[in-house]
DNA sequence: TAAGATTGAAAGTTCAATCTTT
DNA sequence: AAAGATTGAACTTTCAATCTTA
Protein backbone atom coordinates (compact mmCIF):
# COMPACT_ATOMS: atom_id res chain seq x y z
CA UNK A 1 0.00 0.00 0.00
CA UNK A 2 2.42 2.63 -1.13
CA UNK A 3 3.69 4.04 -4.36
CA UNK A 4 2.23 1.12 -6.20
CA UNK A 5 -1.34 2.17 -5.38
CA UNK A 6 -3.61 4.61 -7.08
CA UNK A 7 -4.28 7.91 -5.40
CA UNK A 8 -7.85 8.37 -4.18
CA UNK A 9 -8.54 10.64 -7.10
CA UNK A 10 -7.13 8.17 -9.58
CA UNK A 11 -9.11 5.41 -7.97
CA UNK A 12 -12.33 7.39 -8.30
CA UNK A 13 -11.56 8.28 -11.89
CA UNK A 14 -10.69 4.70 -12.81
CA UNK A 15 -13.88 3.30 -11.34
CA UNK A 16 -16.01 6.01 -12.84
CA UNK A 17 -14.46 5.26 -16.21
CA UNK A 18 -15.16 1.54 -15.97
CA UNK A 19 -18.69 2.05 -14.77
CA UNK A 20 -19.55 4.81 -17.18
CA UNK A 21 -18.89 2.44 -20.01
CA UNK A 22 -21.12 -0.29 -18.61
CA UNK A 23 -23.95 2.10 -17.93
CA UNK A 24 -23.62 3.95 -21.17
CA UNK A 25 -23.56 0.85 -23.34
CA UNK A 26 -26.60 -0.51 -21.53
CA UNK A 27 -28.37 2.78 -21.99
CA UNK A 28 -27.59 3.05 -25.68
CA UNK A 29 -28.57 -0.56 -26.23
CA UNK A 30 -31.94 -0.06 -24.61
CA UNK A 31 -32.54 3.16 -26.49
CA UNK A 32 -31.58 1.74 -29.87
CA UNK A 33 -33.39 -1.53 -29.34
CA UNK A 34 -36.60 0.15 -28.30
CA UNK A 35 -36.35 2.70 -31.06
CA UNK A 36 -35.26 0.60 -33.99
CA UNK A 37 -34.48 -2.98 -33.05
CA UNK A 38 -30.74 -2.53 -33.41
CA UNK A 39 -28.06 -3.13 -30.81
CA UNK A 40 -25.19 -0.71 -30.37
CA UNK A 41 -22.86 -3.13 -32.12
CA UNK A 42 -25.29 -3.49 -35.02
CA UNK A 43 -25.38 0.27 -35.22
CA UNK A 44 -21.60 0.58 -35.23
CA UNK A 45 -21.30 -1.85 -38.11
CA UNK A 46 -24.02 -0.16 -40.15
CA UNK A 47 -22.59 3.29 -39.42
CA UNK A 48 -19.22 2.20 -40.68
CA UNK A 49 -20.65 0.73 -43.84
CA UNK A 50 -22.86 3.70 -44.56
CA UNK A 51 -19.94 6.08 -44.35
CA UNK A 52 -18.08 4.54 -47.24
CA UNK A 53 -19.06 5.68 -50.71
CA UNK A 54 -19.48 2.12 -51.92
CA UNK A 55 -21.24 0.78 -48.87
CA UNK A 56 -18.67 -2.04 -48.81
CA UNK A 57 -15.95 -2.73 -46.29
CA UNK A 58 -13.43 -5.52 -45.95
CA UNK A 59 -13.89 -7.64 -42.87
CA UNK A 60 -10.45 -6.90 -41.50
CA UNK A 61 -11.03 -3.17 -41.90
CA UNK A 62 -14.17 -3.42 -39.84
CA UNK A 63 -12.24 -5.34 -37.26
CA UNK A 64 -9.58 -2.68 -37.05
CA UNK A 65 -12.02 0.17 -36.90
CA UNK A 66 -14.07 -1.42 -34.15
CA UNK A 67 -11.15 -3.14 -32.46
CA UNK A 68 -12.76 -6.54 -32.83
CA UNK A 69 -11.11 -9.83 -33.50
CA UNK A 70 -11.66 -11.58 -36.77
CA UNK A 71 -14.00 -14.19 -35.43
CA UNK A 72 -16.21 -11.62 -33.77
CA UNK A 73 -16.52 -9.82 -37.06
CA UNK A 74 -17.45 -13.05 -38.77
CA UNK A 75 -20.09 -14.05 -36.24
CA UNK A 76 -21.59 -10.59 -36.05
CA UNK A 77 -21.85 -10.30 -39.82
CA UNK A 78 -23.42 -13.75 -40.05
CA UNK A 79 -26.10 -12.75 -37.60
CA UNK A 80 -26.71 -9.47 -39.39
CA UNK A 81 -26.82 -11.22 -42.73
CA UNK A 82 -29.45 -13.57 -41.40
CA UNK A 83 -31.53 -10.52 -40.57
CA UNK A 84 -30.98 -8.99 -43.99
CA UNK A 85 -29.02 -5.98 -42.76
CA UNK A 86 -25.82 -6.77 -44.64
CA UNK A 87 -24.64 -8.98 -47.46
CA UNK A 88 -21.34 -10.52 -48.51
CA UNK A 89 -19.30 -10.03 -51.63
CA UNK A 90 -16.16 -11.71 -52.75
CA UNK A 91 -13.11 -9.61 -53.31
CA UNK A 92 -11.79 -9.44 -56.83
CA UNK A 93 -8.04 -9.04 -56.61
CA UNK A 94 -7.65 -10.94 -53.36
CA UNK A 95 -9.54 -14.18 -53.40
CA UNK A 96 -9.07 -14.67 -49.68
CA UNK A 97 -10.91 -11.52 -48.88
CA UNK A 98 -14.54 -10.71 -48.33
CA UNK A 99 -16.57 -7.54 -48.28
CA UNK A 100 -19.48 -6.76 -46.06
CA UNK A 101 -22.00 -4.73 -47.99
CA UNK A 102 -24.87 -2.60 -46.81
CA UNK A 103 -28.24 -3.82 -48.06
CA UNK A 104 -31.14 -1.52 -48.77
CA UNK A 105 -32.75 -2.82 -45.63
CA UNK A 106 -29.61 -2.04 -43.65
CA UNK A 107 -29.51 1.47 -45.02
CA UNK A 108 -33.12 2.04 -44.16
CA UNK A 109 -32.54 0.73 -40.64
CA UNK A 110 -29.64 3.01 -39.83
CA UNK A 111 -31.25 6.05 -41.37
CA UNK A 112 -34.28 5.47 -39.20
CA UNK A 113 -32.16 4.90 -36.11
CA UNK A 114 -29.65 7.70 -36.50
CA UNK A 115 -31.55 10.76 -35.24
CA UNK A 116 -32.66 9.09 -32.01
CA UNK A 117 -29.23 7.60 -31.47
CA UNK A 118 -27.46 10.91 -31.94
CA UNK A 119 -29.91 12.62 -29.63
CA UNK A 120 -29.23 10.00 -26.99
CA UNK A 121 -25.46 10.39 -27.31
CA UNK A 122 -25.87 14.10 -26.87
CA UNK A 123 -28.18 13.88 -23.93
CA UNK A 124 -26.09 11.36 -22.05
CA UNK A 125 -22.64 12.67 -22.88
CA UNK A 126 -22.10 15.87 -24.79
CA UNK A 127 -24.82 18.13 -23.49
CA UNK A 128 -23.01 18.53 -20.21
CA UNK A 129 -19.55 19.08 -21.67
CA UNK A 130 -17.63 22.15 -22.74
CA UNK A 131 -15.57 22.27 -25.92
CA UNK A 132 -12.48 21.83 -23.81
CA UNK A 133 -13.96 18.79 -22.10
CA UNK A 134 -14.66 17.15 -25.42
CA UNK A 135 -11.12 17.79 -26.56
CA UNK A 136 -9.73 16.38 -23.33
CA UNK A 137 -11.92 13.31 -23.57
CA UNK A 138 -10.76 12.65 -27.09
CA UNK A 139 -7.14 13.09 -26.14
CA UNK A 140 -7.37 10.78 -23.14
CA UNK A 141 -9.19 8.03 -24.98
CA UNK A 142 -6.93 8.21 -28.00
CA UNK A 143 -3.95 7.86 -25.73
CA UNK A 144 -5.47 4.82 -24.04
CA UNK A 145 -6.04 3.20 -27.40
CA UNK A 146 -2.46 3.82 -28.45
CA UNK A 147 -0.97 2.57 -25.24
CA UNK A 148 -3.12 -0.51 -24.92
CA UNK A 149 -2.66 -1.41 -28.57
CA UNK A 150 1.05 -0.68 -28.40
CA UNK A 151 1.61 -3.33 -25.76
CA UNK A 152 -0.81 -5.53 -27.61
CA UNK A 153 1.57 -8.32 -28.51
CA UNK A 154 2.10 -9.26 -24.92
CA UNK A 155 0.91 -7.49 -21.82
CA UNK A 156 4.51 -7.75 -20.91
CA UNK A 157 4.51 -10.38 -18.19
CA UNK A 158 3.75 -7.45 -15.94
CA UNK A 159 6.17 -7.05 -13.19
CA UNK A 160 6.43 -3.46 -14.33
CA UNK A 161 7.38 -1.55 -11.28
CA UNK A 162 8.73 -4.54 -9.61
CA UNK A 163 8.93 -3.91 -5.93
CA UNK A 164 11.99 -4.05 -3.82
CA UNK B 1 -27.75 15.76 -41.63
CA UNK B 2 -28.03 18.96 -39.71
CA UNK B 3 -28.09 20.14 -36.16
CA UNK B 4 -29.06 16.68 -35.02
CA UNK B 5 -25.65 15.36 -35.98
CA UNK B 6 -22.49 15.28 -33.98
CA UNK B 7 -19.75 17.73 -34.81
CA UNK B 8 -16.58 16.20 -36.21
CA UNK B 9 -14.88 16.70 -32.88
CA UNK B 10 -17.74 15.10 -31.00
CA UNK B 11 -17.76 12.25 -33.44
CA UNK B 12 -14.06 11.63 -32.91
CA UNK B 13 -14.42 11.84 -29.15
CA UNK B 14 -17.39 9.48 -29.12
CA UNK B 15 -15.65 6.86 -31.18
CA UNK B 16 -12.44 7.16 -29.23
CA UNK B 17 -14.41 6.71 -26.04
CA UNK B 18 -16.14 3.57 -27.28
CA UNK B 19 -12.96 2.07 -28.64
CA UNK B 20 -10.81 2.97 -25.70
CA UNK B 21 -13.05 0.89 -23.51
CA UNK B 22 -12.88 -2.16 -25.77
CA UNK B 23 -9.13 -1.96 -26.05
CA UNK B 24 -8.53 -1.22 -22.43
CA UNK B 25 -10.70 -4.04 -21.13
CA UNK B 26 -9.02 -6.46 -23.49
CA UNK B 27 -5.63 -5.25 -22.36
CA UNK B 28 -6.43 -5.50 -18.68
CA UNK B 29 -7.94 -8.93 -19.17
CA UNK B 30 -4.85 -10.23 -20.88
CA UNK B 31 -2.57 -8.70 -18.29
CA UNK B 32 -4.53 -10.03 -15.33
CA UNK B 33 -5.09 -13.44 -16.85
CA UNK B 34 -1.45 -13.92 -17.68
CA UNK B 35 -0.35 -12.60 -14.34
CA UNK B 36 -2.77 -14.22 -11.98
CA UNK B 37 -5.51 -16.15 -13.75
CA UNK B 38 -8.18 -13.58 -12.94
CA UNK B 39 -10.39 -11.72 -15.37
CA UNK B 40 -11.09 -8.03 -14.92
CA UNK B 41 -14.57 -8.83 -13.66
CA UNK B 42 -13.17 -11.34 -11.17
CA UNK B 43 -10.79 -8.66 -10.01
CA UNK B 44 -13.55 -6.09 -9.60
CA UNK B 45 -15.55 -8.45 -7.43
CA UNK B 46 -12.58 -9.39 -5.27
CA UNK B 47 -11.51 -5.77 -4.96
CA UNK B 48 -14.93 -4.82 -3.73
CA UNK B 49 -15.02 -7.60 -1.19
CA UNK B 50 -11.53 -6.94 0.07
CA UNK B 51 -12.32 -3.31 0.74
CA UNK B 52 -14.99 -4.05 3.29
CA UNK B 53 -13.86 -4.69 6.83
CA UNK B 54 -15.87 -7.90 7.04
CA UNK B 55 -15.02 -9.21 3.59
CA UNK B 56 -18.75 -9.70 3.03
CA UNK B 57 -21.08 -7.89 0.66
CA UNK B 58 -24.73 -8.31 -0.16
CA UNK B 59 -25.38 -9.38 -3.72
CA UNK B 60 -27.48 -6.37 -4.54
CA UNK B 61 -24.76 -4.05 -3.24
CA UNK B 62 -22.26 -5.63 -5.55
CA UNK B 63 -24.71 -5.21 -8.38
CA UNK B 64 -25.12 -1.54 -7.64
CA UNK B 65 -21.44 -0.90 -7.25
CA UNK B 66 -20.55 -2.63 -10.49
CA UNK B 67 -23.73 -1.66 -12.30
CA UNK B 68 -24.60 -5.27 -12.99
CA UNK B 69 -27.99 -6.87 -13.05
CA UNK B 70 -28.97 -9.36 -10.41
CA UNK B 71 -28.62 -12.40 -12.58
CA UNK B 72 -25.16 -11.41 -13.69
CA UNK B 73 -24.11 -11.12 -10.08
CA UNK B 74 -25.54 -14.54 -9.38
CA UNK B 75 -23.88 -16.26 -12.29
CA UNK B 76 -20.54 -14.57 -11.71
CA UNK B 77 -20.52 -15.49 -8.03
CA UNK B 78 -21.45 -19.08 -8.83
CA UNK B 79 -18.51 -19.37 -11.17
CA UNK B 80 -16.17 -17.77 -8.67
CA UNK B 81 -17.48 -19.99 -5.91
CA UNK B 82 -16.76 -23.04 -8.02
CA UNK B 83 -13.18 -21.86 -8.21
CA UNK B 84 -12.99 -21.25 -4.50
CA UNK B 85 -12.53 -17.48 -4.70
CA UNK B 86 -15.69 -16.57 -2.82
CA UNK B 87 -18.26 -18.21 -0.59
CA UNK B 88 -21.86 -17.58 0.32
CA UNK B 89 -23.47 -16.75 3.62
CA UNK B 90 -27.08 -16.36 4.55
CA UNK B 91 -28.20 -13.04 5.89
CA UNK B 92 -29.46 -12.99 9.43
CA UNK B 93 -32.12 -10.33 9.63
CA UNK B 94 -33.29 -10.66 6.06
CA UNK B 95 -33.80 -14.24 5.10
CA UNK B 96 -34.13 -13.36 1.42
CA UNK B 97 -30.65 -11.97 1.30
CA UNK B 98 -27.27 -13.46 0.68
CA UNK B 99 -23.74 -12.35 1.29
CA UNK B 100 -20.78 -13.01 -0.90
CA UNK B 101 -17.73 -13.55 1.26
CA UNK B 102 -14.07 -13.46 0.42
CA UNK B 103 -12.32 -16.76 1.02
CA UNK B 104 -8.70 -17.02 2.04
CA UNK B 105 -7.96 -18.18 -1.46
CA UNK B 106 -9.72 -15.17 -2.90
CA UNK B 107 -7.77 -12.83 -0.66
CA UNK B 108 -4.51 -14.43 -1.65
CA UNK B 109 -5.45 -14.15 -5.31
CA UNK B 110 -6.23 -10.45 -5.24
CA UNK B 111 -3.24 -9.58 -3.12
CA UNK B 112 -1.03 -11.32 -5.62
CA UNK B 113 -2.73 -9.64 -8.55
CA UNK B 114 -2.99 -6.10 -7.24
CA UNK B 115 0.50 -4.71 -7.82
CA UNK B 116 0.63 -5.78 -11.46
CA UNK B 117 -2.90 -4.62 -12.05
CA UNK B 118 -2.28 -1.20 -10.59
CA UNK B 119 0.91 -0.85 -12.58
CA UNK B 120 -0.98 -1.70 -15.75
CA UNK B 121 -3.70 0.84 -15.02
CA UNK B 122 -1.06 3.46 -14.51
CA UNK B 123 0.89 2.60 -17.61
CA UNK B 124 -2.11 2.52 -19.88
CA UNK B 125 -4.07 5.41 -18.45
CA UNK B 126 -2.69 7.64 -15.74
CA UNK B 127 0.97 7.96 -16.65
CA UNK B 128 0.09 10.19 -19.56
CA UNK B 129 -2.39 12.39 -17.70
CA UNK B 130 -2.07 15.59 -15.72
CA UNK B 131 -3.89 16.14 -12.44
CA UNK B 132 -6.39 18.27 -14.31
CA UNK B 133 -6.95 15.52 -16.87
CA UNK B 134 -7.73 13.04 -14.15
CA UNK B 135 -10.21 15.42 -12.58
CA UNK B 136 -11.87 16.05 -15.92
CA UNK B 137 -12.10 12.36 -16.67
CA UNK B 138 -13.73 11.68 -13.35
CA UNK B 139 -16.19 14.50 -13.81
CA UNK B 140 -17.16 13.40 -17.32
CA UNK B 141 -17.60 9.75 -16.41
CA UNK B 142 -19.54 10.51 -13.25
CA UNK B 143 -21.85 12.68 -15.25
CA UNK B 144 -22.42 9.92 -17.79
CA UNK B 145 -23.28 7.50 -15.01
CA UNK B 146 -25.77 9.90 -13.51
CA UNK B 147 -27.43 10.73 -16.78
CA UNK B 148 -27.64 7.19 -18.07
CA UNK B 149 -28.86 5.88 -14.75
CA UNK B 150 -31.30 8.72 -14.37
CA UNK B 151 -33.18 7.77 -17.51
CA UNK B 152 -32.78 4.19 -16.48
CA UNK B 153 -36.41 3.32 -15.98
CA UNK B 154 -37.13 3.77 -19.62
CA UNK B 155 -34.85 5.18 -22.27
CA UNK B 156 -37.77 7.46 -22.64
CA UNK B 157 -39.01 6.56 -26.08
CA UNK B 158 -36.20 8.81 -27.11
CA UNK B 159 -37.20 11.90 -28.84
CA UNK B 160 -35.20 13.60 -26.08
CA UNK B 161 -34.03 16.85 -27.50
CA UNK B 162 -36.83 16.97 -29.83
CA UNK B 163 -35.80 19.39 -32.54
CA UNK B 164 -37.11 22.73 -33.86
C1' DT C 1 -47.01 -6.56 -4.22
C1' DA C 2 -41.93 -5.34 -3.89
C1' DA C 3 -37.29 -6.89 -3.14
C1' DG C 4 -33.53 -10.16 -3.17
C1' DA C 5 -31.89 -13.85 -5.32
C1' DT C 6 -31.69 -17.98 -8.48
C1' DT C 7 -32.24 -20.66 -12.79
C1' DG C 8 -32.23 -22.06 -17.74
C1' DA C 9 -32.27 -20.65 -22.30
C1' DA C 10 -30.86 -17.34 -25.78
C1' DA C 11 -27.64 -14.09 -27.44
C1' DG C 12 -23.07 -12.37 -27.77
C1' DT C 13 -17.94 -12.89 -27.30
C1' DT C 14 -13.60 -15.32 -27.09
C1' DC C 15 -10.54 -19.14 -27.98
C1' DA C 16 -8.46 -22.60 -30.77
C1' DA C 17 -8.45 -25.12 -34.86
C1' DT C 18 -9.03 -25.02 -39.72
C1' DC C 19 -9.17 -23.65 -44.60
C1' DT C 20 -7.72 -21.03 -48.62
C1' DT C 21 -4.90 -17.81 -50.93
C1' DT C 22 -0.79 -14.95 -50.98
C1' DA D 1 4.81 -19.27 -43.46
C1' DA D 2 1.52 -15.32 -43.05
C1' DA D 3 -2.95 -13.01 -44.01
C1' DG D 4 -7.96 -13.10 -44.42
C1' DA D 5 -11.71 -15.39 -43.13
C1' DT D 6 -14.71 -19.14 -41.12
C1' DT D 7 -16.35 -22.61 -37.75
C1' DG D 8 -17.60 -24.91 -33.38
C1' DA D 9 -17.04 -25.16 -28.60
C1' DA D 10 -16.53 -22.78 -24.29
C1' DC D 11 -17.46 -18.95 -21.70
C1' DT D 12 -19.98 -14.62 -20.42
C1' DT D 13 -23.93 -11.69 -20.38
C1' DT D 14 -28.77 -10.82 -20.91
C1' DC D 15 -33.63 -11.99 -20.79
C1' DA D 16 -37.64 -14.00 -18.82
C1' DA D 17 -39.62 -16.89 -15.55
C1' DT D 18 -39.63 -18.45 -10.89
C1' DC D 19 -39.14 -18.78 -5.87
C1' DT D 20 -39.04 -17.03 -1.18
C1' DT D 21 -39.48 -13.58 2.26
C1' DA D 22 -40.63 -8.68 3.63
Amino acid sequence: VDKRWLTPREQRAWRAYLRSEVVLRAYMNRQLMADSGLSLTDYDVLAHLSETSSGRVRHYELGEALQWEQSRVSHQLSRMQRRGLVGRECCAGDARGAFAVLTQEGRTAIEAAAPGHVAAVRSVLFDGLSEADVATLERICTQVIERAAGDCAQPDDEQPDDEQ
Side-chain angles (χ1 to χ4, degrees), chain A:
Chain A
V1 201
D2 54 68
K3 66 160 172 272
R4 281 173 282 109
W5 286 99
L6 299 179
T7 66
R9 162 160 283 165
E10 286 173 339
Q11 182 132 195
R12 288 198 308 275
W14 169 242
R15 295 198 169 174
Y17 174 85
L18 289 179
R19 249 154 263 177
S20 71
E21 171 268 314
V22 173
V23 168
L24 187 144
R25 281 198 121 83
Y27 178 82
M28 297 306 309
N29 266 316
R30 281 195 309 271
Q31 182 272 316
L32 271 169
M33 205 51 103
D35 226 32
S36 52
L38 299 174
S39 68
L40 182 53
T41 54
D42 295 334
Y43 188 94
D44 285 340
V45 170
L46 294 178
H48 216 82
L49 283 168
S50 70
E51 273 160 19
T52 63
S53 49
S54 58
R56 312 187 313 156
V57 169
R58 287 289 295 270
H59 287 202
Y60 76 90
E61 272 186 81
L62 206 52
E64 267 166 36
L66 269 37
Q67 296 290 334
W68 289 357
E69 347 177 327
Q70 291 184 318
S71 78
R72 181 172 176 184
V73 173
S74 242
H75 285 304
Q76 176 75 30
L77 289 175
S78 294
R79 288 187 301 255
M80 293 180 75
Q81 185 171 28
R82 228 175 286 137
R83 297 194 285 150
L85 296 168
V86 302
R88 267 163 224 251
E89 253 180 46
C90 297
C91 175
D94 186 343
R96 295 170 303 182
F99 283 101
V101 308
L102 194 56
T103 61
Q104 185 50 50
E105 198 178 337
R107 193 175 293 278
T108 304
I110 191 165
E111 283 172 0
H117 173 72
V118 172
V121 173
R122 281 198 184 294
S123 79
V124 95
L125 179 61
F126 291 117
D127 279 353
L129 304 187
S130 67
E131 287 265 315
D133 288 339
V134 176
T136 302
L137 180 64
E138 184 193 348
R139 178 166 49 78
I140 292 174
C141 293
T142 302
Q143 186 195 271
V144 167
I145 294 169
E146 279 163 12
R147 292 184 171 219
D151 281 338
C152 199
Q154 236 112 330
D156 233 354
D157 284 55
E158 265 345 313
Q159 231 85 5
D161 21 293
D162 190 10
E163 45 273 84
Q164 42 286 70

